[in-house]
Amino acid sequence: MEEPGQLKRAFLDATAGAIAGGISRTVTSPLDVIKIRFQVQLEPTSSWALLRKDLSGSSKYTGMFQATKDIFREEGLPGFWRGNVPALLMVMPYTAIQFAVLHKLKTFASGSSKTADHLNISPYLSYISGALAGCAATVGSYPFDLLRTILASQGEPKVYPTMRSAFFDIIKTRGFSGLYAGLSPTLVEIIPYAGLQFGTYDTFKRWTVAWNRLRSSNTSSTKDDSLSSFQLFICGLAAGTFAKLVCHPLDVVKKRFQIEGLQRHPRYGARVEHHAYRNMFDALRRILLLEGWHGLYKGIVPSTIKAAPAGAVTFVAYEFTSDWLESILT
């Protein structure tokens, strides 16, 4: 099969990435909404923590099932897809940029534009390529991430009825820089997160290819380096889980910066005041001091449950969409 040109290849990767990101984000939106509600809650988010501090009844959300029940009762089924439009506007360009830049970097590192040859590059280069691609994608799509977080965390009654009203109020109250509130911890988070996610995914793919070769040699069957959709799913599942567990505290810090000053209903607990944190390190220190280690892992259960299938769906959808588009365009 003829290899597509550079522009066509970039278009192919960007389109496949956007479609994969959109599918993954829509499927996992309910878990993302629950995760954000936990992350922006200043009070304890588990019954165990409440009992230790003798603060029973003071927290809006104290468990994943309880949060699911409350959101459904108060906001209905649409509440689980609150902020999904800006999330799609964020995720689709994010994954488009990410996969396009990633393929370009791997092509440069391997000297070949063929995806199969990219597994032969050094694991370190896989991690570095993933980290750089994640940074480029983050800067390009960050304002939509901020709007998504605000709309998903506001609860009822709504502070902002539409994405447009949220956008103009942020510009008015915080200025243009307000659209990038929390960018620093996001970039600090995305470097290890994207690096681990893509690097680990490539590593698992290498191991799986080696396993397939070993199995085929033992059974005297034809050598085949292709991976099944189930194998790709498992590789993506493992990569997403590992990356999220390592980087979750920085995601909590990012969410706190993004909702500074949001006037939520008092039943959702104390709000994060304007300029509550001087910088990322101050936020980490204050959360540790006031909320303990548990505070840095608020929302870790729905976050991990979401990250695992989200990573798996994204990688599988990308691989299949990329192959399909390549068969059409070449």
Side-chain angles (χ1 to χ4, degrees):
M1 183 182 292
E2 182 187 353
E3 276 294 298
Q6 290 188 14
L7 285 177
K8 189 182 286 187
R9 180 76 242 185
F11 170 77
L12 189 153
D13 289 321
T15 304
I19 292 171
I23 292 171
S24 174
R25 179 61 185 79
T26 302
V27 169
T28 59
S29 177
L31 290 166
D32 199 50
V33 169
I34 295 170
K35 179 201 76 169
I36 289 174
R37 297 292 175 90
F38 280 134
Q39 289 179 322
V40 301
Q41 178 173 292
L42 300 184
E43 294 78 18
T45 57
S46 71
S47 300
W48 178 77
L50 284 168
L51 290 171
R52 279 184 60 211
K53 292 177 177 281
D54 197 25
L55 293 171
S56 183
S58 65
S59 294
K60 172 65 176 173
Y61 303 116
T62 57
M64 188 170 168
F65 293 109
Q66 178 267 333
T68 303
K69 184 178 68 175
D70 273 18
I71 293 170
F72 183 73
R73 186 181 71 249
E74 295 170 1
E75 304 169 45
L77 198 60
F80 292 104
W81 276 268
R82 179 157 291 169
N84 196 49
V85 172
L88 287 174
L89 291 174
M90 180 271 291
V91 167
M92 294 182 76
Y94 177 91
T95 49
I97 295 169
Q98 187 175 43
F99 279 104
V101 172
L102 183 70
H103 190 277
K104 190 68 178 176
L105 290 170
K106 286 185 174 181
T107 297
F108 176 78
S110 65
S112 170
S113 63
K114 294 181 179 179
T115 305
D117 293 335
H118 294 173
L119 282 179
N120 298 325
I121 68 174
S122 162
Y124 301 108
L125 288 176
S126 289
Y127 285 93
I128 292 170
S129 297
L132 292 175
C135 285
T138 297
V139 174
S141 61
Y142 190 79
F144 293 111
D145 184 25
L146 181 130
L147 290 169
R148 178 279 305 252
T149 298
I150 288 175
L151 292 178
S153 63
Q154 61 183 345
E156 290 286 350
K158 295 179 181 177
V159 180
Y160 301 113
T162 63
M163 182 175 68
R164 184 174 178 273
S165 64
F167 175 82
F168 284 111
D169 187 66
I170 291 168
I171 293 291
K172 180 181 176 182
T173 57
R174 302 198 218 174
F176 181 77
S177 62
L179 293 173
Y180 284 88
L183 179 61
S184 295
T186 302
L187 288 175
V188 172
E189 174 206 5
I190 207 65
I191 290 172
Y193 181 76
L196 285 170
Q197 187 179 34
F198 283 95
T200 305
Y201 179 67
D202 283 349
T203 299
F204 285 138
K205 281 177 69 177
R206 288 190 194 95
W207 290 350
T208 308
V209 167
W211 165 256
N212 287 347
R213 286 174 179 171
L214 179 63
R215 191 174 58 179
S216 64
S217 65
N218 290 337
T219 58
S220 301
S221 58
T222 306
K223 177 184 173 183
D224 184 12
D225 286 347
S226 63
L227 302 180
S228 68
S229 57
F230 178 73
Q231 288 176 325
L232 290 172
F233 185 86
I234 294 299
C235 289
L237 195 78
T241 302
F242 180 67
K244 178 53 68 177
L245 287 173
V246 172
C247 302
H248 187 79
L250 291 169
D251 191 39
V252 172
V253 171
K254 177 184 79 171
K255 294 295 189 292
R256 297 293 178 88
F257 276 108
Q258 289 180 329
I259 65 145
E260 279 187 343
L262 181 64
Q263 300 278 354
R264 299 199 300 168
H265 192 279
R267 71 166 173 262
Y268 292 99
R271 68 172 180 151
V272 181
E273 301 293 343
H274 274 299
H275 309 299
Y277 310 114
R278 292 194 301 272
N279 51 49
M280 181 183 69
F281 297 106
D282 181 56
L284 285 168
R285 183 182 66 82
R286 285 175 178 270
I287 292 171
L288 274 173
L289 183 66
L290 299 175
E291 304 170 48
W293 280 100
H294 178 265
L296 291 174
Y297 282 90
K298 284 181 174 177
I300 187 62
V301 173
S303 182
T304 305
I305 293 174
K306 175 218 165 190
V313 170
T314 299
F315 283 121
V316 172
Y318 171 77
E319 300 271 5
F320 276 89
T321 306
S322 179
D323 288 345
W324 175 67
L325 289 173
E326 195 167 349
S327 68
I328 293 174
L329 297 174
T330 57

